[in-house]
Amino acid sequence: MTFGMLWYVIVWEIAMFSRLRRLLRAAGRDAVVLWYACRNPATPVSVKLIAALLAVYVVSPIDLVPDTIPILGWIDDVALLGLGIPAVLKLVPSNSLSQASMAAEKFLSKWKFWRAKS
């Protein structure tokens, strides 16, 4: 492997982990927003029920693909969360969603690792 190829691999891995970090930060923020939206009394019970079922499926030992299978067992959980959380957030009324977003930002701003680097 030449130095140029090694340099390309290193730069690509750094960029990949940077994108992954941004993706996880966005997904984590959405999860916190959903938590606060479900705590809001103005959020419909049906949305709260869907969010609860999503959470139960993720922690449940019964899966489409068992978690005992390395990597593949977690893919269905990750895919369901990645698709499910934004879908549930679209069902939340806009007033509740804006209040939940503000509460989530206030909560997440307390954590040093969550704050944007300046």
Side-chain angles (χ1 to χ4, degrees):
M1 183 179 283
T2 66
F3 179 73
M5 289 175 61
L6 181 63
W7 178 252
Y8 176 76
V9 169
I10 291 171
V11 169
W12 183 80
E13 285 184 6
I14 291 171
M16 180 184 68
F17 284 117
S18 176
R19 285 190 300 253
L20 183 61
R21 184 177 30 237
R22 284 193 311 262
L23 177 66
L24 291 176
R25 183 171 284 159
R29 182 190 174 284
D30 283 351
V32 175
V33 169
L34 183 59
W35 169 259
Y36 279 109
C38 287
R39 294 184 64 190
N40 190 333
T43 302
V45 175
S46 60
V47 173
K48 294 177 183 181
L49 181 63
I50 293 169
L53 289 173
L54 183 65
V56 167
Y57 177 80
V58 170
V59 297
S60 171
I62 301 169
D63 283 335
L64 295 175
V65 179
D67 289 341
T68 55
I69 300 171
I71 307 294
L72 292 177
W74 300 323
I75 288 177
D76 68 328
D77 294 339
V78 171
L80 190 63
L81 286 175
L83 296 172
I85 291 175
V88 174
L89 284 176
K90 288 184 180 182
L91 300 174
V92 176
S94 61
N95 187 26
S96 298
L97 189 59
S98 63
Q99 290 174 359
S101 293
M102 289 180 0
E105 288 301 324
K106 183 178 178 184
F107 173 76
L108 292 173
S109 68
K110 295 177 184 177
W111 299 93
K112 182 178 179 180
F113 68 88
W114 202 269
R115 283 181 253 156
K117 293 180 172 63
S118 23

